[in-house]
Amino acid sequence: SQTIHQWPATLVQPVGSPLSLECTVEGTSNPNLYWYRQAAGRGLQLLFYSVGIGQISSEVPQNLSASRPQDRQFILSSKKLLLSDSGFYLCAWSLTGAEKLFFGSGTQLSVL
Amino acid sequence: GESVGLHLPTLSVQEGDNSIINCAYSNSASDYFIWYKQESGKGPQFIIDIRSNMDKRQGQRVTVLLNKTVKHLSLQIAATQPGDSAVYFCAENTRANDYKLSFGAGTTVTVRA
C-alpha cells in the first residue's frame, strides 16, 4: 500500500533562517505531489505541485520554493523565513490530477 | 472569483444523531467534489468523493449529496460517534484546473456525549 512520510512534525525557526521540509511517498510510481499550507483555523492553500521530476508549478508568489529531485521526493525550501511563513505545511500525493489527494501528517512551522 | 465555502463554521451534534455538513460552491464548471476529515494536528483524511454526473454517493456511514442546480454539496454522517469530532472540508476542482483542488474553510463538528 502507499504511504506518505513528512518530516519534521514540528519546527521552530528564527526569522531569516533557511527552511527545508521533506516529503517522500512509498508504494507508487510517478505520483503528482503537492505542498499546501494551512493557517490556524483556515482552509488549505495550494503552494506548489509537481507532475514529474524537476517539474514544479507555483501557485502563490512568495519566498518559498519547491524541488522534486526524485520521483517520490518533494522538498519545500526557503532561503530566509518570514514571520508570515508560520503555519501547518502539508504534503500530498495523487495519481489522477487533483482527484483524491492523500495527505501526510503535516509540519507545524513556527517562525519567531 | 470562484470559491468553495461552507455554510456554518461549527456544528454541535448529539452522539447517535445524524450530522449534515453543507458546502456551497460558485464555479459552475466544477466537476469533481471531495470531502476530507481533519483531526487536530493531523493531515486531512479522505472521506468520500463524487463526480458531477452523480447526485448521490454512499460510503460507510457517510453519504454525499450534490445539487448542481443550486451549487450545493452536503455530507451526511449517520449515527455520529465521538470519533467523528473533527474539522470537515469540502473541496472541488475542474478539468480546466486539473491539478488544483480548491478547499473550503472547514466546519468544526463537535459530538456531545
Side-chain angles (χ1 to χ4, degrees):
Chain A
S1 63
Q2 301 89 353
T3 56
I4 180 168
H5 302 281
Q6 191 180 340
W7 67 93
T10 59
L11 189 60
V12 180
Q13 291 285 99
V15 170
S17 64
L19 173 73
S20 181
L21 302 181
E22 189 164 342
C23 171
T24 59
V25 179
E26 296 177 359
T28 188
S29 296
N30 197 31
N32 303 312
L33 297 173
Y34 306 83
W35 279 111
Y36 279 84
R37 178 169 58 200
Q38 185 176 31
R42 303 290 296 275
L44 281 72
Q45 177 188 38
L46 178 62
L47 300 177
F48 301 94
Y49 68 90
S50 170
V51 301
I53 296 173
Q55 300 180 61
I56 308 295
S57 296
S58 174
E59 287 300 297
V60 182
Q62 59 214 326
N63 70 322
L64 299 171
S65 62
S67 62
R68 185 170 178 173
Q70 299 180 42
D71 181 43
R72 290 169 290 175
Q73 183 185 27
F74 205 23
I75 298 171
L76 183 69
S77 304
S78 174
K79 293 181 180 178
K80 289 186 177 182
L81 284 168
L82 305 173
L83 287 173
S84 58
D85 291 324
S86 294
F88 193 47
Y89 288 82
L90 289 156
C91 181
W93 70 273
S94 72
L95 287 179
T96 309
E99 296 183 4
K100 202 174 286 187
L101 268 64
F102 295 96
F103 286 86
S105 54
T107 295
Q108 183 64 55
L109 172 66
S110 298
V111 183
L112 305 177
Chain B
E2 303 295 356
S3 65
V4 178
L6 292 167
H7 288 305
L8 295 173
T10 62
L11 178 67
S12 181
V13 183
Q14 185 67 40
E15 182 178 358
D17 287 352
N18 297 334
S19 304
I20 300 176
I21 306 165
N22 295 304
C23 186
Y25 63 97
S26 58
N27 187 352
S28 57
S30 296
D31 54 16
Y32 175 80
F33 304 87
I34 189 168
W35 282 98
Y36 284 92
K37 172 187 178 183
Q38 186 177 28
E39 298 176 16
S40 181
K42 297 183 179 180
Q45 297 173 273
F46 168 80
I47 301 174
I48 192 167
D49 58 358
I50 189 168
R51 295 189 182 280
S52 59
N53 61 352
M54 302 173 68
D55 53 20
K56 180 180 180 179
R57 193 172 185 206
Q58 290 184 291
Q60 187 178 9
R61 273 202 312 120
V62 296
T63 301
V64 56
L65 298 176
L66 175 62
N67 185 331
K68 294 179 289 294
T69 302
V70 296
K71 299 190 187 69
H72 183 268
L73 185 72
S74 67
L75 177 71
Q76 300 178 5
I77 304 173
T80 308
Q81 302 169 359
D84 295 326
S85 293
V87 180
Y88 290 80
F89 292 96
C90 63
E92 56 86 27
N93 83 340
T94 68
R95 291 199 182 117
N97 294 305
D98 219 16
Y99 297 97
K100 302 175 187 178
L101 198 60
S102 298
F103 283 80
T107 293
T108 300
V109 174
T110 302
V111 180
R112 306 188 307 273

